[in-house]
Amino acid sequence: MITQACACAALCTSGLPAHSATTDIENGLLKVQYNSSSGQVSLFSKNSGTPFFSSSQLRNASAAALTKVKNATFGSGEAIEVTHPNGNRTALALFPDLPFVVVRAAVRNTTAGVLITNRLPILSGTVELGRPASQLATLGTGGLLAPDRNPGSYMWLATANPNTRRGVIFGWLANERGSGILFSRTNYTGVEIDAVLEYGRLLIRPGQAEDLEPLAIGYFDDARLGLESWADAVAKVHKVRLKPQPTGYCTWYSRPYGGAADEEHLAELASFSATNLARFGFSVVQIDDGWQSGFKRSSPSSPKKDFRTHNPRGPYPAGMKSTADRVKSLGLVPGLWFMPFAGTLGDPFFDAHLDWFAKTPVGQPYDTPWGGACLDMTHPGARGYVRDLVSRICRDWGYHYIKIDGLWTGTATKQLYVNSGYKPDDLGEAVLSDSTMTPVESFRSGLKLVREAAGENVFILGCNAPQNMRSYGGAFGLVDAMRVGPDNSAEWKSLLRGPTFGTRHYFLHRRIWYNDPDPVYVRESMPVNQAQLICSWVALSGQLNLSSEWIPGLPPDRLDILKRTMPSHQAVARPVDLFENDLPEIWTVTAPGRTVVGLFNWDDAERQFNIPLEQLGLNTKVEYAAFDYWGNSFIPSVSGKLGATVPARSCVVFAMRPMANHPQVVSTSRHVTQGMIELSGETWDQKARILSGQSELIGHDPCELRIAAGAAKMKRISLGDGDQAANVSATIAQTGPLARLTIKSPSTRKVSWKVEFN
């Protein structure tokens, strides 16, 4: 039997028959109803009591039964299992703590021969949100689109009312052997959704059955929370355990010394960064394409692919191990770019091992533009090569951060770059050594091999999903971070790719992996407002923060922008207008007692924002104090709406706190999130009229606390005994209701402070 190595266990049935035409199951949030007479399936939200999705696809079923189910991830639940005349089954299950209906189909081969299939429709039905299709939007991997204009989305799809955010979420919980696609269309009843699994080549032997990938369907009053819940469920299925999030540097786009850089200048940059940025959270220095040996193809953009050694006449003549050792000696993590699943035809090394490659139907190595020939991850020789290569880079040379490019070559499919919405490809056309494995299954086995060879302590960045989106869901649970968008640059339109793709996939970040939107830029040729905008977006969204600048050559004010946006916060970040704008303009970051609001003007003209506080998740009956970070200005009172004029290609970042009847810290200068990184233990002693707290100070970096004091006047400040002994100093200043407390420390340390007010 061909088994499916999926963390969602197959449904185990008890065979209890349904005794009436209507069969129901429910949990605390949802109800599933199946009418065996009409074949109609209806999914209900118990809060509203109305159906949010219905399907008549199961109308030709031969039997239906209530079943008890057990799932390796979600525990015990109930299901309605429908058996079709051809022996196939469809089960709709509910679990106590899961806000989704889980749909799982099983295909049985009732023929006398081997069944080979590519494309399997799983479920079709209508979304019911009480609005016509013209008033609904779909958000998927292809972006925010009208339902009838969405080409299809890989792995997940949201259908929502942009005005209320009410919506229905569809998402495949696993992508172990097949590639899950979701299509939307419109008809006279509304928005129709088609859930399809594409396998390329799924082989089922006579008399055997195959449990297919499970699909989750859920209703949410705020579809953003639905997308986040789906990502949480996927993370549980794949047992995701994220490593600490790095911050650092990539050589590729740097000007000067871009590409792979070189020994001399990489050492200079690493030393400068260790001295000036490491204490702010900088941790990784990654070398990109150009260090390796190998044969160059006729296409000038196609990389050399002999990653077993460096080019002796290239930028690192002393070798890659000595460079890694130098970076590690500075307390930083060395990173290296390479392509594990590809080779170059015509290269003498690879020409001696043509049996390692996936083959075309006529027996030639399967070759792709830029990516090269695709290694067959079911072939023992290819697997041995990848194991030895990754082990050499990570274990022998000591690179504990790897950026693995050409990711799609592991699926042996053609390049579709830039691929975001669904595009038909040649999935399954390439012939693998093991014909029982699907292309996605082979790809995942290759990623598991990379992880095993690298070691658990190595951070793996996949690059990149839009080369061919088969590698997107196929990488779930197997990489630490993923480039979710195409290459960017410091040029304005190209720069917008990071926020566009990073926002579209925001709910994956810190759940399934860390989103990598590609580097930020602060170079002098870029207007300062644009540098602040892109760095603020990365800092507020919390996504992977890599720069690609010649850091030692940056002027102090540009270097300071990098300092104010690292490291990443651990708070909750969301785009407010996710279902209104394909490139959302409003972000909120929330932590107990404080909210940061980012207003991003991606346009070429000035923009006026006037946002109801309710839309920001704030209390409309409460008055707020706010501080504009880049404008360094205090707003003593905000009520009802937040208004701001934002210049073209610029941003405004407000820290907001409900006004209190005592002094409180509204903002700090340390980080653009204004207190979420370094401020803790803030308390007010009403009797003594003392505001106290702790701040994680960076050595030689003055930190200013901005205090909404109201009518109170600062009287004096005191520091902890240990802080005074460590030569920490503090000054106070006040203008009207805004008090500023500036603390300086010669060393990085947590400082305790108290401010007494009249």
Side-chain angles (χ1 to χ4, degrees):
M1 179 178 180
I2 304 172
T3 60
Q4 182 180 12
C6 176
C8 283
L11 295 171
C12 304
T13 69
S14 63
L16 301 176
H19 296 290
S20 65
T22 301
T23 305
D24 295 352
I25 57 173
E26 60 184 75
N27 63 12
L29 297 171
L30 302 170
K31 182 174 79 170
V32 181
Q33 185 176 86
Y34 174 68
N35 188 308
S36 58
S37 298
S38 65
Q40 179 86 2
V41 172
S42 298
L43 310 185
F44 292 80
S45 165
K46 292 181 74 173
N47 286 339
S48 66
T50 58
F52 60 86
F53 179 78
S54 62
S55 172
S56 59
Q57 186 173 329
L58 307 182
R59 61 183 177 274
N60 295 322
S62 59
L66 286 174
T67 68
K68 302 293 184 183
V69 295
K70 286 188 177 180
N71 183 277
T73 303
F74 306 118
S76 298
E78 286 187 302
I80 300 171
E81 185 176 277
V82 178
T83 303
H84 305 273
N86 60 3
N88 295 346
R89 291 179 288 113
T90 301
L92 300 99
L94 288 175
F95 299 92
D97 299 320
L98 188 68
F100 295 98
V101 179
V102 178
V103 181
R104 192 164 198 187
V107 176
R108 179 173 293 279
N109 182 4
T110 58
T111 71
V114 172
L115 174 65
I116 298 176
T117 185
N118 173 17
R119 198 171 195 268
L120 292 168
I122 302 304
L123 190 69
S124 294
T126 303
V127 172
E128 301 180 20
L129 289 172
R131 291 288 184 274
S134 60
Q135 295 181 17
L136 301 178
T138 57
L139 177 69
T141 56
L144 184 68
L145 296 162
D148 59 347
R149 295 184 177 275
N150 195 321
S153 178
Y154 298 86
M155 292 303 293
W156 58 272
L157 182 70
T159 302
N161 180 340
N163 296 323
T164 64
R165 300 195 193 113
R166 290 177 60 240
V168 180
I169 305 301
F170 301 83
W172 301 96
L173 290 172
N175 204 168
E176 296 283 352
R177 303 194 70 195
S179 179
I181 315 295
L182 293 152
F183 297 96
S184 66
R185 50 195 168 90
T186 58
N187 57 26
Y188 65 92
T189 59
V191 177
E192 195 88 358
I193 302 296
D194 299 315
V196 177
L197 283 167
E198 294 185 343
Y199 285 91
R201 192 177 188 277
L202 178 65
L203 185 151
I204 308 175
R205 300 193 185 280
Q208 294 184 348
E210 183 74 32
D211 289 306
L212 307 181
E213 276 78 359
L215 173 69
I217 308 175
Y219 165 86
F220 295 85
D221 287 329
D222 186 337
R224 298 177 306 169
L225 305 186
L227 290 167
E228 293 170 19
S229 296
W230 170 74
D232 287 334
V234 171
K236 289 179 181 178
V237 167
H238 292 288
K239 297 180 174 61
V240 172
R241 299 290 183 270
L242 292 178
K243 295 176 175 60
Q245 182 172 343
T247 300
Y249 167 78
C250 166
T251 61
W252 184 247
Y253 305 96
S254 182
R255 299 292 182 271
Y257 315 120
D262 58 70
E263 279 180 1
E264 176 188 354
H265 293 101
L266 191 86
E268 181 183 352
L269 180 136
S271 179
F272 181 90
S273 299
T275 300
N276 294 279
L277 293 179
R279 62 188 188 274
F280 290 88
F282 185 99
S283 58
V284 170
V285 175
Q286 180 244 309
I287 300 167
D288 220 277
D289 177 21
W291 62 269
Q292 70 275 21
S293 186
F295 175 82
K296 187 73 173 176
R297 292 182 65 157
S298 57
S299 171
S301 65
S302 184
K304 298 178 181 179
K305 298 184 184 68
D306 188 350
F307 302 103
R308 299 171 303 149
T309 186
H310 66 289
N311 180 357
R313 293 186 295 276
Y316 295 91
M320 305 315 294
K321 185 180 187 305
S322 66
T323 297
D325 289 342
R326 175 66 182 272
V327 173
K328 286 191 286 187
S329 73
L330 296 168
L332 301 175
V333 177
L336 195 65
W337 171 97
F338 66 104
M339 299 172 66
F341 303 133
T344 301
L345 300 181
D347 186 311
F349 171 73
F350 290 110
D351 280 355
H353 301 286
L354 296 181
D355 56 322
W356 290 356
F357 297 102
K359 301 298 190 295
T360 66
V362 297
Q364 297 299 312
Y366 184 92
D367 199 34
T368 66
W370 189 85
C374 300
L375 290 167
D376 178 355
M377 285 294 96
T378 73
H379 190 284
R383 292 180 65 82
Y385 162 75
V386 171
R387 181 183 293 107
D388 292 344
L389 171 65
V390 176
S391 179
R392 176 177 300 179
I393 289 172
C394 298
R395 298 179 188 268
D396 297 346
W397 295 351
Y399 288 89
H400 289 173
Y401 176 108
I402 55 175
K403 177 181 178 181
I404 52 176
D405 206 347
L407 206 60
W408 94 95
T409 59
T411 67
T413 54
K414 65 182 180 181
Q415 188 191 64
L416 300 177
Y417 190 81
V418 175
N419 176 204
S420 53
Y422 176 78
K423 293 181 181 179
D425 60 8
D426 56 351
L427 183 72
E429 181 180 306
V431 179
L432 303 179
S433 175
D434 184 349
S435 63
T436 67
M437 294 185 72
T438 69
V440 170
E441 187 179 13
S442 172
F443 169 64
R444 287 185 64 81
S445 75
L447 282 178
K448 291 172 184 176
L449 178 64
V450 170
R451 167 58 69 200
E452 177 188 326
E456 284 300 320
N457 63 329
V458 172
F459 189 95
I460 300 177
L461 165 62
C463 182
N464 64 49
Q467 292 166 338
N468 183 311
M469 288 288 283
R470 305 294 185 180
S471 63
Y472 174 75
F476 281 4
L478 298 176
V479 297
D480 300 300
M482 175 65 84
R483 269 277 305 281
V484 291
D487 292 3
N488 73 1
S489 73
E491 187 272 327
W492 175 248
K493 289 186 178 180
S494 175
L495 188 72
L496 298 184
R497 293 172 181 168
T500 299
F501 283 81
T503 303
R504 189 178 300 170
H505 303 277
Y506 89 93
F507 50 91
L508 304 183
H509 178 67
R510 281 218 326 260
R511 292 182 173 88
I512 294 175
W513 55 41
Y514 297 115
N515 283 352
D516 175 15
D518 224 18
V520 298
Y521 303 92
V522 294
R523 57 192 58 171
E524 284 188 277
S525 60
M526 173 184 285
V528 67
N529 55 296
Q530 294 182 27
Q532 291 172 345
L533 176 140
I534 191 61
C535 289
S536 296
W537 178 84
V538 167
L540 265 61
S541 69
Q543 300 189 23
L544 209 61
N545 187 351
L546 300 171
S547 58
S548 193
E549 299 286 23
W550 176 238
I551 294 175
L554 292 175
D557 64 324
R558 298 306 176 103
L559 189 64
D560 194 66
I561 295 175
L562 294 182
K563 292 177 180 178
R564 303 306 150 208
T565 55
M566 61 175 71
S568 173
H569 64 76
Q570 301 300 306
V572 177
R574 292 189 180 105
V576 171
D577 48 335
L578 182 67
F579 299 106
E580 300 172 61
N581 296 302
D582 192 40
L583 180 48
E585 302 170 323
I586 310 165
W587 278 77
T588 59
V589 184
T590 57
R594 56 198 327 115
T595 298
V596 173
V597 179
L599 307 180
F600 298 92
N601 182 4
W602 311 108
D603 295 337
D604 295 332
E606 183 179 272
R607 178 91 158 77
Q608 180 65 44
F609 288 85
N610 203 19
I611 311 161
L613 295 184
E614 183 180 16
Q615 191 178 356
L616 301 173
L618 301 176
N619 192 336
T620 57
K621 299 179 181 179
V622 171
E623 203 170 350
Y624 290 82
F627 195 91
D628 173 359
Y629 186 79
W630 297 114
N632 193 18
S633 60
F634 179 60
I635 304 172
S637 176
V638 176
S639 60
K641 294 183 178 181
L642 176 65
T645 301
V646 183
R649 301 184 181 183
S650 301
C651 71
V652 175
V653 180
F654 292 111
M656 301 182 68
R657 294 194 71 178
M659 293 183 67
N661 59 1
H662 59 78
Q664 61 179 354
V665 179
V666 176
S667 167
T668 74
S669 63
R670 160 66 187 94
H671 192 275
V672 72
T673 53
Q674 304 181 68
M676 292 186 182
I677 294 293
E678 85 291 0
L679 184 63
S680 62
E682 181 185 354
T683 58
W684 170 255
D685 183 333
Q686 178 64 32
K687 184 176 181 180
R689 298 193 61 77
I690 290 176
L691 181 68
S692 60
Q694 294 85 45
S695 296
E696 294 276 359
L697 261 64
I698 305 297
H700 303 289
D701 184 56
C703 180
E704 182 181 88
L705 281 68
R706 291 82 180 244
I707 301 171
K713 302 296 182 184
M714 283 197 298
K715 184 177 179 181
R716 65 175 63 89
I717 180 172
S718 60
L719 302 173
D721 293 339
D723 300 318
Q724 295 181 52
N727 295 319
V728 178
S729 62
T731 58
I732 55 178
Q734 185 168 355
T735 303
L738 177 65
R740 298 179 186 255
L741 164 63
T742 302
I743 310 175
K744 301 178 183 179
S745 174
S747 61
T748 298
R749 60 184 288 116
K750 178 180 278 190
V751 173
S752 298
W753 48 265
K754 294 181 179 180
V755 183
E756 183 180 350
F757 288 82
N758 287 331

